[in-house]
């Protein structure tokens, strides 16, 4: 049976910790390993941080976190209604950052892709960005 | 997120505890820069033994300090990262420019 949780929160950096802890708590029902929990927390933290820094550029807004569990498969969708990404392929290149002055490492999407089983990004300039990640829990 | 510093040999040991993310990265960066400058030392060791979480914002901090310290002729080392932090460091290739040691005593050897 599918289980779904939706959380809407302000695009403030203080909520990054809340979002990853919420994701970890949601995943806990599937009895994941410590490593699986760490993977989920890291990937969700990256996606939420991207929404705050790049989507809204620190100007505030709302971040939408949707979490679904179906069998042992977890799906996390992080969505913003910010400025969007003009060139997704470029944004996803390892070490690419549009904000080098902020000491961003440019590894956010690479981390999401590496720590989760799948990553899909859809975006359009002015319409926001949707990041969907899945993780199968082996426990 | 807490930062505590101490001196060992010619290195400043920056011990990070708690969770390092974008929310506290700017504060940690500022504190690190000022403490390293005030210490007047050549080398910097990141002691990550008590760091329970780090995302790519932490990578940015490490790379930034590596640039600063190496430009002054010093060396940066990382000690005792968690399994999660070490996977992140290796994914980003940080270990190729900043050596990683299993303990602080091993990281401090020779500095």
């Amino acid at each position: 049976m599918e289980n779904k949780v939706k959380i809407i929160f302000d695009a403030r950096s203080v909520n990054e910790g809340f979002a990853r802890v919420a994701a970890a708590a949601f995943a806990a029902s599937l009895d994941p390993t410590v490593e699986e929990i760490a993977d989920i927390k890291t990937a969700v933290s990256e996606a939420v941080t991207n929404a705050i820094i790049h989507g809204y550029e620190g100007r505030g807004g709302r971040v939408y976190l949707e979490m679904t569990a179906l069998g042992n498969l977890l799906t996390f969708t992080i969505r913003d209604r910010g400025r969007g990404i003009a060139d997704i392929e470029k944004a996803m290149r390892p070490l690419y950052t549009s904000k080098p002055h902020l000491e961003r490492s440019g590894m956010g999407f690479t981390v999401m892709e590496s720590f989760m089983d799948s990553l899909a990004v859809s975006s359009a300039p002015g319409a926001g960005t949707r990041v969907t990640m899945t993780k199968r829990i082996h426990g | 997120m807490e930062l505590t510093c101490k001196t060992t040999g010619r290195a400043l040991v920056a011990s990070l505890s708690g969770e390092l993310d974008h929310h506290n990265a700017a504060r940690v960066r500022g504190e690190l820069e000022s403490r390293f400058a005030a210490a007047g030392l050549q080398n910097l060791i990141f002691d990550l033994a008590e760091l329970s979480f780090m995302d790519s914002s932490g990578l940015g901090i490490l790379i930034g300090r590596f640039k600063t310290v190496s430009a002054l002729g010093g060396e940066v080392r990382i000690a005792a990262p968690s399994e999660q932090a070490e996977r992140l460091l290796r994914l980003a290739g940080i270990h190729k420019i900043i050596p990683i040691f299993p303990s602080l005593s091993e990281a401090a050897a020779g500095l």
Side-chain angles (χ1 to χ4, degrees):
Chain A
M1 183 184 294
E2 185 178 89
N3 182 31
K4 185 174 283 189
V5 170
K6 293 181 181 179
I7 302 173
I8 303 171
F9 55 90
D10 286 343
R12 295 165 56 92
S13 65
V14 70
N15 288 330
E16 292 159 5
F18 163 77
R20 61 178 175 262
V21 169
F26 183 77
S29 65
L30 299 188
D31 200 19
T33 62
V34 171
E35 185 175 327
E36 287 167 338
I37 284 284
D39 289 351
I40 289 165
K41 285 179 72 177
T42 310
V44 168
S45 192
E46 299 291 354
V48 170
T49 300
N50 273 359
I52 294 169
I53 296 180
H54 300 288
Y56 294 113
E57 298 191 298
R59 291 194 293 261
R62 296 283 173 86
V63 179
Y64 303 81
L65 170 62
E66 186 175 308
M67 305 181 281
T68 306
L70 181 60
N72 68 344
L73 182 67
L74 290 167
T75 303
F76 298 89
T77 301
I78 295 92
R79 186 167 56 83
D80 67 68
R81 291 179 174 163
R83 68 193 301 264
I85 303 169
D87 187 339
I88 294 174
E89 190 183 337
K90 186 177 178 183
M92 291 181 72
R93 277 183 211 150
L95 304 176
Y96 171 79
T97 177
S98 60
K99 298 194 174 358
H101 57 289
L102 295 180
E103 282 195 352
R104 303 302 305 163
S105 65
M107 289 297 292
F109 280 125
T110 304
V111 170
M112 292 180 231
E113 200 163 32
S114 301
F115 283 27
M116 302 296 267
D117 293 334
S118 73
L119 166 68
V121 182
S122 61
S123 186
T129 299
R130 176 192 294 266
V131 172
T132 303
M133 303 180 285
T134 64
K135 182 84 170 172
R136 198 168 287 283
I137 300 300
H138 300 289
Chain B
M1 177 74 245
E2 280 193 33
L3 167 67
T4 55
C5 294
K6 66 179 182 182
T7 298
T8 177
R10 290 175 294 118
L12 183 74
V13 177
S15 299
L16 299 169
S17 62
E19 304 204 334
L20 177 55
D21 63 7
H22 158 249
H23 177 61
N24 47 41
R27 176 175 62 82
V28 170
R29 182 189 313 130
E31 282 185 30
L32 263 172
E33 287 285 340
S34 61
R35 294 205 193 186
F36 187 71
L41 297 164
Q42 192 178 10
N43 307 304
L44 177 62
I45 301 171
F46 284 100
D47 173 16
L48 305 186
E50 299 300 321
L51 190 70
S52 56
F53 176 83
M54 179 175 90
D55 63 15
S56 70
S57 300
L59 298 177
I61 298 256
L62 296 173
I63 295 167
R65 303 296 72 69
F66 169 77
K67 288 177 180 171
T68 305
V69 173
S70 57
L72 297 169
E75 192 176 332
V76 179
R77 295 180 179 180
I78 295 169
S82 67
E83 194 176 312
Q84 182 259 353
E86 185 157 356
R87 281 204 299 136
L88 199 63
L89 295 167
R90 293 189 181 280
L91 175 67
I94 300 286
H95 62 294
K96 294 175 184 170
I97 58 170
I98 307 177
I100 300 172
F101 296 85
S103 69
L104 178 56
S105 58
E106 288 165 277
L111 287 185

